């Protein structure tokens, strides 16, 4: 059963709750969108899913419906009460915690993986949450997330595309990412001001840059410096740390701009810095 718009509102009212903006609470009620997410994310019978921010449990129910097991992290104690009261969600392991701080090895025990993360993420912490999972939880092999459309475009962008920026490049150290769908604001209660996007993120078997060439911290430093002056040529934006000889040795043309570089090229530059 899906919580309709009216049922979602009634459930909140039953518990004396209203959506909290500070937790990015926009609840999904549209059956077509929920079915689309579950179909596109590709999880099925026996898969172990991690969900951040289950809210009232609408997406959770659909994930259970295809035979997945779900371990969910919710920050709002009021919603924890709702989730624990709903008999349809009895099989879900619910953690009352901040997904930014919770020990991911407890939520997703490494020896019992792999896991797939599927979530309609709170917009204010969506990007740091994605990066945290990629950095800290290798047992989570894929992420399928709904985020603000602008963020979705950035996460999914490839070199040379308008939306390609610092986070697009840094994500590609760990994973591939593709924007696979758009979702209108009208399928949420309350409706947010902007549309959303669905992004499929699949972890690479090995990081895109060999750690023997450069470590991730140095790569991120170079990426951040370069995109900090996005319109400038790399020879200008990186002049405090790299000289022309470094660009030559790394095989990167210093007159290029950061949006033209893939993560391997940033890795080669970071190798010179290191
Ligand atoms: N999954 C539900 C849905 O699709 O209807 C709710 C999605 S709503 C956009 C975001 C959810 O994340 C809310 O339930 C909110 O309380 C929760 N949340 C916000 N910040 C969080 C955090 N740091 N850790 C865990 N949950 C969080």
């Amino acid at each position: 059963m899906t919580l309709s718009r009216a049922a979602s509102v009634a459930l909140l009212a039953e518990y004396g709750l209203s959506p909290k903006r500070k937790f990015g609470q926009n609840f999904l009620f549209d059956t077509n969108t929920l079915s689309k997410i579950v179909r596109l994310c590709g999880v099925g019978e026996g898969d172990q899913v991690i969900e951040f921010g289950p809210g009232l449990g609408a997406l959770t129910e659909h994930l259970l419906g295809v035979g997945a097991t779900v371990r969910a992290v919710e920050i709002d104690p009021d919603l924890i009460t709702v989730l624990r009261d709903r008999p349809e969600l009895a099989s879900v392991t619910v953690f009352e915690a901040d997904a930014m701080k919770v020990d991911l090895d407890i939520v997703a025990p490494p020896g019992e993986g792999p896991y797939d993360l599927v979530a309609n993420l709170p917009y204010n912490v969506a990007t740091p949450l994605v990066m945290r999972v990629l950095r800290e939880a290798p047992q989570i092999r894929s992420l399928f997330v709904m985020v603000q459309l602008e963020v979705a475009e950035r996460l999914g962008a490839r070199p040379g595309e308008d939306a390609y920026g610092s986070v697009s490049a840094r994500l590609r150290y760990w994973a591939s990412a593709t924007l696979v769908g758009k979702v209108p604001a009208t399928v949420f209660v309350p409706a947010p001001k902007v549309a959303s996007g669905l992004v499929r993120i699949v972890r690479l078997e090995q990081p895109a840059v060999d750690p023997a060439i450069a470590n991730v911290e140095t790569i991120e430093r170079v990426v951040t410096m370069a995109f900090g002056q996005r319109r400038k040529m790399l020879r200008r934006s990186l002049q405090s740390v790299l000289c022309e000889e470094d660009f030559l040795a790394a095989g990167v043309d210093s007159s290029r701009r950061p949006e033209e570089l893939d993560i391997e090229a940033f890795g080669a530059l970071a190798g010179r810095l290191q």
Side-chain angles (χ1 to χ4, degrees):
M1 192 208 77
T2 302
L3 286 171
S4 63
R5 186 180 198 289
S8 305
V9 173
L11 189 57
L12 286 167
E14 188 186 327
Y15 284 82
L17 304 175
S18 41
K20 299 181 181 107
R21 194 185 290 185
K22 70 171 174 180
F23 291 143
Q25 290 177 356
N26 302 97
F27 301 108
L28 193 50
F29 64 82
D30 178 59
T31 311
N32 290 337
T33 307
L34 287 158
S35 304
K36 179 177 170 184
I37 293 174
V38 173
R39 192 177 67 249
L40 289 176
C41 77
V43 305
E45 189 71 41
D47 286 336
Q48 304 192 84
V49 172
I50 307 297
E51 185 184 6
F52 287 164
L56 298 170
L59 178 57
T60 324
E61 262 187 87
H62 276 250
L63 291 164
L64 294 176
V66 294
T69 58
V70 181
R71 298 165 71 85
V73 180
E74 172 58 57
I75 198 170
D76 184 351
D78 291 331
L79 293 179
I80 295 281
T81 308
V82 179
L83 291 165
R84 293 209 168 124
D85 281 355
R86 293 193 62 205
E88 304 89 326
L89 307 178
S91 68
V92 178
T93 308
V94 181
F95 298 86
E96 181 182 340
D98 179 343
M100 277 305 290
K101 296 186 185 147
V102 70
D103 184 339
L104 294 175
D105 284 355
I106 291 177
V107 174
E112 296 164 29
Y115 304 87
D116 301 293
L117 187 140
V118 183
N120 171 15
L121 289 176
Y123 289 173
N124 48 348
V125 286
T127 302
L129 271 178
V130 166
M131 292 309 290
R132 178 175 188 224
V133 168
L134 290 174
R135 211 176 276 126
E136 297 179 26
Q139 68 273 33
I140 298 179
R141 63 184 173 182
S142 75
L143 301 86
F144 190 90
V145 293
M146 171 141 70
V147 293
Q148 202 173 328
L149 184 56
E150 192 192 328
V151 174
E153 286 170 346
R154 255 186 264 140
L155 293 175
R158 295 177 175 77
E161 294 178 354
D162 285 349
Y164 186 70
S166 171
V167 75
S168 333
R170 287 183 287 119
L171 181 147
R172 280 166 192 282
Y173 174 83
W174 302 104
S176 63
T178 318
L179 175 65
V180 294
K182 295 183 185 174
V183 177
T186 47
V187 299
F188 300 93
V189 57
K193 290 200 176 68
V194 291
S196 299
L198 299 169
V199 187
R200 185 202 315 284
I201 300 169
V202 180
R203 187 181 288 282
L204 304 172
E205 284 190 10
Q206 305 290 334
V209 179
D210 185 341
I213 295 174
N215 63 42
V216 64
E217 291 78 16
T218 312
I219 297 172
E220 293 202 342
R221 189 173 155 215
V222 171
V223 171
T224 307
M225 280 181 87
F227 279 103
Q229 300 186 64
R230 189 185 172 98
R231 303 273 157 248
K232 292 200 175 146
M233 288 187 265
L234 293 162
R235 75 162 70 100
R236 294 286 304 281
S237 55
L238 299 177
Q239 67 185 355
S240 64
V241 289
L242 296 175
C243 62
E244 194 57 42
E245 191 189 328
D246 292 314
F247 283 97
L248 278 173
V252 177
D253 179 348
S254 68
S255 68
R256 296 174 81 187
R257 291 183 170 76
E259 64 262 30
E260 300 172 279
L261 256 58
D262 60 20
I263 189 65
E264 289 81 358
F266 281 115
L269 291 174
R272 295 300 299 174
L273 176 54
Q274 208 167 293

